[in-house]
Amino acid sequence: MAGGTEFSPMGALDVAGLRDGFRGELLSPQDPGYEDARKVWNGSIDRFPALIARCAGVADVIAAVRFARDSGLLAAVRGGWHSYPGLSVCDGGIVIDLSLMKGIRVDPEARTARTQAGVLLGELDRETQAFGLAVPSGIVTHTGLSGLTLGGGINWLMRKYGLTIDQLLSVDLVTAKGELVKASRTENADLFWGVRGGGGNFGIVTEFEFRLNPVGPTVLAGPIFWPIEESPNVLRFYREWISEAPDELTTIVAHRKAPPLPFVPRELHGKLIVGIVCCYAGAVEEGEQVVKPLKEFKSPVLDLCVPKPFLAHQAMFDPSFPHGWWYYLRACDVAQLTDEVIEITVDHALRIDSPLSSFVIWQLGGAVARVGEDETAFGGRSAGHTFNIGGITEKAEGFDKEREWVRNFWAALEPYHRGFYVNFLMEEGEERIRQAYGAKKYDRLKSLKRRYDPDNFFRLNQNIRPDVTV
Ligand SMILES: Cc1cc2nc3c(=O)[nH]c(=O)nc-3n(C[C@H](O)[C@H](O)[C@H](O)COP(=O)(O)OP(=O)(O)OC[C@H]3O[C@@H](n4cnc5c(N)ncnc54)[C@H](O)[C@@H]3O)c2cc1C
């Protein structure tokens, strides 16, 4: 391990009490395995916690929370390590790492699933798809289910089945006092409201219970691509086409340089392209009718929208977001793809220089918008689209340039910003978090925070500060 001065030395921490009976692993900087365990998905984050508590179960989580409190340690909570700004690791404090907690139990009869906090999206899909069922989660299989769910969870099935939180039935949660509570619509209903969008502000969720819905296992899904010159036409056509789309269809528009993947023809490699990626969560034959006009629009250079296992579609973006690369993200919601928004989009698409940077535009609506804005803490149910602009490099070299591209693009869209999704925020300050929830919900979240975590023990998150703002 490099240096040795960046973190509080383990000697300063008396971990004997914590070690007693701890079923998981406790890693200090001098331990083998520490170096790997301190890494998170985003390679641009490089932090040195004093202790990593790899919990094996609820008792370990309770012990770690109590230990951190008693020792006055800053605590980070880690599910799947995919926080863009790296909020699941810290310098000098403790990381309460849930990634060993992998239990999944599917009840195909009752159509429910119980999952522990360290489960990744692909792991849950694997278990549920064995029965042709699914939880609507995210679009990259190695993302953590915990952090994604607590922020809301936008996904390929959302226009039919809603956000991930819309299928959440209950959670088990360890509070800042180190007590286990359950929250559902009937038990601690206020807390259940808060964890559906309020992130990790109220405690550590050790287990989730979800409702399952039928999906696939074969779905009509995949991208259709056109050359970048067609982007303005494609986007205008797309705008009209989706206005009539059934809820079964969820789409994402993508702009990037075509990657050198086996299914991409060699002549396209490195060329800027616009793609519309579809997922039809219904009968394949119906989906074929729905997607036909898109397939026939102009002359796509590549059409990969075909019947395929839902599991394969879920993994489609995995190669574009490997662990360890450097990532910078800015995101915003817009109401509509107006001509002005399209013009800005195309202008900044044409400025993509890197073979790795890209941006996607999610189509919302459908079941997401049918849940009332105040029913859960999640903000932005009425948004039309979410822009997700990613500057990506393999390592530090060139990162500043990509970040600049992202920031300029995001700033150009500023007049059209209609909200922000907390799980796509960097460290952007309290005002942005308030904007993400809206003033009314933000106040409600603050009073919930005052009840469950008045000392702001859980603060490495999109933090809802308990103190009263005047
Ligand atoms: C490649 C990639 C793809 C993504 N795709 C999507 C997508 O399709 N849809 C979408 O909605 N979002 C998506 N996201 C955003 C994602 O939802 C967030 O990054 C989320 O925080 C990841 O959760 P995690 O458990 O992996 O993160 P971690 O880094 O482990 O945790 C992030 C934060 O969540 C909190 N947290 C995590 N676990 C718990 C827990 N058990 N109890 C309490 N708090 C906890 C903590 O505050 C922590 O700081 C994506 C992110 C990446 C990097």
Side-chain angles (χ1 to χ4, degrees):
M1 102 131 268
T5 52
E6 294 95 325
F7 49 82
S8 321
M10 269 300 275
L13 285 178
D14 181 7
V15 293
L18 178 60
R19 203 175 288 284
D20 187 24
F22 199 85
R23 284 202 303 128
E25 254 183 306
L26 293 174
L27 295 173
S28 57
Q30 60 273 18
D31 286 328
Y34 170 88
E35 191 52 28
D36 276 347
R38 76 174 184 84
K39 286 189 186 136
V40 289
W41 165 83
N42 187 345
S44 75
I45 310 291
D46 190 24
R47 295 187 186 135
F48 296 84
L51 180 65
I52 302 173
R54 307 195 71 206
C55 303
V58 176
D60 284 357
V61 175
I62 290 173
V65 167
R66 290 184 177 163
F67 173 79
R69 278 200 79 104
D70 294 348
S71 321
L73 280 179
L74 179 66
V77 178
R78 177 190 288 191
W81 328 354
H82 276 51
S83 158
Y84 272 98
L87 292 170
S88 44
V89 65
C90 55
D91 277 324
I94 180 172
V95 173
I96 302 177
D97 181 345
L98 309 164
S99 61
L100 298 179
M101 294 172 61
K102 291 285 191 193
I104 302 175
R105 183 172 187 278
V106 174
D107 182 337
E109 291 292 311
R111 289 196 173 169
T112 56
R114 298 194 71 90
T115 71
Q116 284 189 311
V119 165
L120 307 181
L121 305 188
E123 293 163 347
L124 177 57
D125 283 339
R126 162 84 180 153
E127 294 299 328
T128 56
Q129 277 288 278
F131 307 99
L133 300 168
V135 172
S137 60
I139 63 167
V140 173
T141 65
H142 48 72
T143 312
L145 182 69
S146 274
L148 178 132
T149 302
L150 293 169
I154 60 175
N155 62 82
W156 279 123
L157 308 170
M158 67 180 153
R159 287 170 41 79
K160 185 163 172 65
Y161 294 128
L163 302 171
T164 311
I165 50 169
D166 295 335
Q167 302 298 336
L168 187 62
L169 296 172
S170 71
V171 294
D172 291 354
L173 176 144
V174 174
T175 65
K177 285 189 192 153
E179 291 166 355
L180 184 74
V181 296
K182 187 169 176 161
S184 68
R185 280 180 199 277
T186 51
E187 219 173 323
N188 296 312
D190 53 348
L191 179 61
F192 190 55
W193 176 86
V195 295
R196 284 177 294 162
N201 271 288
F202 308 107
I204 301 182
V205 173
T206 51
E207 192 161 314
F208 298 84
E209 182 189 11
F210 291 101
R211 188 187 302 112
L212 299 172
N213 289 287
V215 175
T218 299
V219 291
L220 180 78
I224 303 168
F225 291 109
W226 295 261
I228 193 73
E229 298 72 41
E230 292 292 2
S231 176
N233 295 327
V234 169
L235 289 174
R236 279 194 290 266
F237 173 82
Y238 168 77
R239 176 176 66 193
E240 301 310 315
W241 175 65
I242 55 165
S243 68
E244 304 283 310
D247 290 351
E248 280 72 16
L249 183 73
T250 299
T251 58
I252 292 178
V253 180
H255 285 80
R256 62 163 302 161
K257 286 188 172 171
L261 294 174
F263 53 83
V264 179
R266 192 174 286 274
E267 62 274 17
L268 285 182
H269 291 182
K271 297 245 166 66
L272 271 174
I273 47 175
V274 52
I276 294 177
V277 194
C278 303
C279 182
Y280 193 83
V284 167
E285 307 74 47
E286 270 171 35
E288 275 163 349
Q289 289 310 308
V290 172
V291 175
K292 196 163 176 256
L294 185 68
K295 287 175 173 260
E296 290 174 352
F297 180 72
K298 301 277 184 171
S299 304
V301 285
L302 186 61
D303 179 355
L304 299 170
C305 183
V306 293
K308 63 179 65 148
F310 178 64
L311 286 179
H313 183 61
Q314 282 287 84
M316 174 195 152
F317 281 117
D318 285 9
S320 303
F321 300 97
H323 290 82
W325 284 3
W326 285 45
Y327 298 91
Y328 182 77
L329 180 87
R330 294 303 291 274
C332 60
D333 294 344
V334 301
Q336 287 173 343
L337 297 179
T338 59
D339 286 347
E340 294 78 10
V341 170
I342 290 178
E343 197 177 315
I344 294 164
T345 301
V346 175
D347 179 26
H348 289 268
L350 289 168
R351 299 184 203 191
I352 295 177
D353 187 29
S354 148
L356 305 180
S357 292
S358 64
F359 67 95
V360 299
I361 312 171
W362 299 72
Q363 174 200 7
L364 279 82
V368 176
R370 280 196 296 275
V371 175
E373 186 66 40
D374 293 336
E375 280 186 48
T376 62
F378 179 86
R381 286 190 179 269
S382 57
H385 300 271
T386 297
F387 273 76
N388 203 316
I389 310 167
I392 308 175
T393 53
E394 282 188 43
K395 31 183 137 47
E397 201 184 340
F399 192 58
D400 288 350
K401 185 164 162 247
E402 295 315 304
R403 192 166 45 193
E404 205 50 30
W405 168 75
V406 174
R407 285 178 173 156
N408 288 338
F409 188 177
W410 184 90
L413 285 168
E414 216 161 345
Y416 308 97
H417 289 176
R418 285 296 172 277
F420 307 92
Y421 171 30
V422 281
N423 272 359
F424 290 158
L425 293 184
M426 300 303 279
E427 289 189 89
E428 299 178 35
E430 185 171 2
E431 177 52 22
R432 180 86 65 241
I433 298 168
R434 200 178 68 90
Q435 289 169 349
Y437 291 112
K440 195 170 136 215
K441 273 201 293 213
Y442 189 61
D443 284 349
R444 185 170 167 189
L445 285 163
K446 262 184 181 292
S447 66
L448 201 59
K449 180 79 171 174
R450 281 196 285 277
R451 264 191 28 232
Y452 282 93
D453 185 17
D455 302 329
N456 208 7
F457 175 74
F458 297 110
R459 63 177 174 276
L460 287 180
N461 43 41
Q462 296 301 340
N463 194 221
I464 295 156
R465 289 175 43 188
D467 45 326
V468 188
T469 25
V470 267

